[in-house]
Amino acid sequence: MFFRVPIRFSMNPYLKNQDFEQTRTLIVRLFYGFAILIWIFKYTNGVWLHQVAHPTLAYITPEEVQWLWYSTGIPSWILATDLRALTVDLLLLASMLLAFCYPRQRWWPPLFSGLLCTYCLTGYLYYFARGHNLSGFLLMSFLPWFQSHRRFAAYFQFMRYFLLYILCSAALWKLYNGVVWDYDNQLPFILKMQHAEYVVHHPDAWRSHWVRWLLDQPALNLILLKGAWVLQLSCLVGFFTKKFDYFLLTAVVLFFIGDWLVMNLPFYEMYILVITLLPWQAVRLAAKPPSLISVV
């Protein structure tokens, strides 16, 4: 009798049961349910394609992708008539609904991502949708493409690190440029610049009163802004361990709420990324590499 130790790849037995499929279905439906709510919210804000049809000026930057998209003539062709723009809007909504109802279907996620990319590029070109708001949402739309357990789990983990990178890099940039130490001088200017348009158009709204009160509380402002910087910087921990993901989840949610209240920066398309900080046990097990050595 002897022991033979061959090196081979063996599948994680956890992947053979139905738990992962149920978890994947839940995550996919959470994403598309959120996408439907975002799309309805955009309609109420008047930023569907057919609601901004016939734009006169394009906001063209030196970015190669934007120049290439503009040179194809597709955005101007879509927005030339209300019917074409409305068709794209309805196709985008239909792709969300179908992907939500049939989360294991392969065809609807690529259709949704393609239409969403069309909306993002066109919106960025004509200045009714900002790229940094939609970047995480667009990247998240590729997650349902993956049917393989391992690839789905790997991309899900990638989106977790992407969220942490966005917040952590912003904190490090503020530290490098010394902005975090100069809030005393910049604070009133930042608040007035961020809220001026809203206060002018809605002088009696609760938020306008909140901004005026906030301007009279420089000490509180300083605490809030530096506290937000600390919340951003805390995301650095997530690159080394997942033990504190509950804390990071709380920190990210608080940061998003504070960013909206204090800085008037509603990155609501990014909110869906917080689900990557939840303890999806099936996803984490699937992301682990298979056993390389087994004893026969």
Side-chain angles (χ1 to χ4, degrees), residues 84-108:
R84 293 173 192 165
L86 181 60
T87 300
V88 176
D89 289 332
L90 294 179
L91 284 174
L92 188 53
L93 178 61
S95 65
M96 298 179 207
L97 293 171
L98 289 169
F100 178 84
C101 295
Y102 305 100
R104 298 183 183 179
Q105 175 58 252
R106 294 176 178 270
W107 304 111
W108 308 129

Side-chain angles (χ1 to χ4, degrees), residues 1-4 296:
M1 181 177 179
F2 62 94
F3 289 90
R4 185 161 51 91
V296 179

Side-chain angles (χ1 to χ4, degrees), residues 43 201 220 224 263:
Y43 176 79
H201 291 287
L220 177 60
L224 290 174
M263 302 299 293

Side-chain angles (χ1 to χ4, degrees), residues 3-291:
F3 289 90
R4 185 161 51 91
V5 186
I7 298 178
R8 68 183 185 186
F9 289 94
S10 60
M11 288 296 294
N12 189 331
Y14 193 89
L15 303 181
K16 297 180 180 179
N17 58 40
Q18 298 299 315
D19 290 345
F20 186 90
E21 281 301 324
Q22 293 173 359
T23 302
R24 181 189 179 279
T25 299
L26 177 58
I27 292 174
V28 170
R29 281 184 167 160
L30 278 174
F31 170 72
Y32 285 114
F34 179 82
I36 292 169
L37 293 177
I38 290 295
W39 196 233
I40 294 173
F41 181 71
K42 285 185 175 295
Y43 176 79
T44 62
N45 284 348
V47 288
W48 278 24
L49 292 176
H50 79 279
Q51 293 174 313
V52 293
H54 315 295
T56 55
L57 296 175
Y59 178 75
I60 303 177
T61 65
E63 296 178 8
E64 292 80 1
V65 174
Q66 193 178 19
W67 274 103
L68 181 62
W69 178 244
Y70 181 74
S71 64
T72 62
I74 295 176
S76 57
W77 181 82
I78 292 174
L79 298 177
T81 65
D82 292 339
L83 180 60
R84 293 173 192 165
L86 181 60
T87 300
V88 176
D89 289 332
L90 294 179
L91 284 174
L92 188 53
L93 178 61
S95 65
M96 298 179 207
L97 293 171
L98 289 169
F100 178 84
C101 295
Y102 305 100
R104 298 183 183 179
Q105 175 58 252
R106 294 176 178 270
W107 304 111
W108 308 129
L111 176 62
F112 170 72
S113 296
L115 291 170
L116 180 61
C117 188
T118 300
Y119 175 83
C120 292
L121 290 172
T122 305
Y124 186 59
L125 187 63
Y126 291 101
Y127 213 70
F128 61 85
R130 305 312 300 148
H132 56 273
N133 289 25
L134 291 163
S135 58
F137 185 64
L138 179 60
L139 286 175
M140 195 72 173
S141 74
F142 297 115
L143 179 65
W145 288 35
F146 300 102
Q147 300 290 329
S148 164
H149 294 173
R150 187 67 47 74
R151 292 175 182 175
F152 183 91
Y155 194 83
F156 191 82
Q157 296 302 316
F158 164 75
M159 291 307 303
R160 174 185 176 274
Y161 289 116
F162 178 78
L163 172 63
L164 297 176
Y165 166 76
I166 290 175
L167 298 174
C168 184
S169 62
L172 293 176
W173 180 88
K174 293 173 185 175
L175 182 64
Y176 175 77
N177 287 276
V179 177
V180 70
W181 312 119
D182 196 32
Y183 273 147
D184 293 337
N185 299 323
Q186 298 188 35
L187 188 57
F189 172 75
I190 292 174
L191 289 175
K192 291 176 183 178
M193 182 180 65
Q194 292 295 112
H195 295 276
E197 182 179 357
Y198 183 87
V199 172
V200 169
H201 291 287
H202 307 89
D204 297 323
W206 69 268
R207 194 168 182 182
S208 298
H209 293 295
W210 154 258
V211 173
R212 295 190 191 98
W213 179 82
L214 205 58
L215 284 169
D216 294 331
Q217 311 294 327
L220 177 60
N221 274 316
L222 197 60
I223 293 173
L224 290 174
L225 290 176
K226 290 196 174 182
W229 176 77
V230 171
L231 291 176
Q232 284 182 300
L233 190 62
S234 66
C235 292
L236 186 63
V237 177
F239 287 97
F240 303 100
T241 180
K242 295 178 182 176
K243 294 180 180 179
F244 303 105
D245 274 11
Y246 274 124
F247 166 77
L248 294 179
L249 174 64
T250 305
V252 171
V253 171
L254 288 176
F255 173 78
F256 281 145
I257 294 174
D259 220 22
W260 174 68
L261 283 174
V262 179
M263 302 299 293
N264 193 27
L265 296 174
F267 297 112
Y268 50 84
E269 294 97 341
M270 301 285 290
Y271 295 171
I272 188 60
L273 270 65
V274 301
I275 68 172
T276 61
L277 296 173
L278 292 173
W280 303 98
Q281 190 65 15
V283 175
R284 292 189 177 183
L285 286 174
K288 292 181 179 179
S291 302

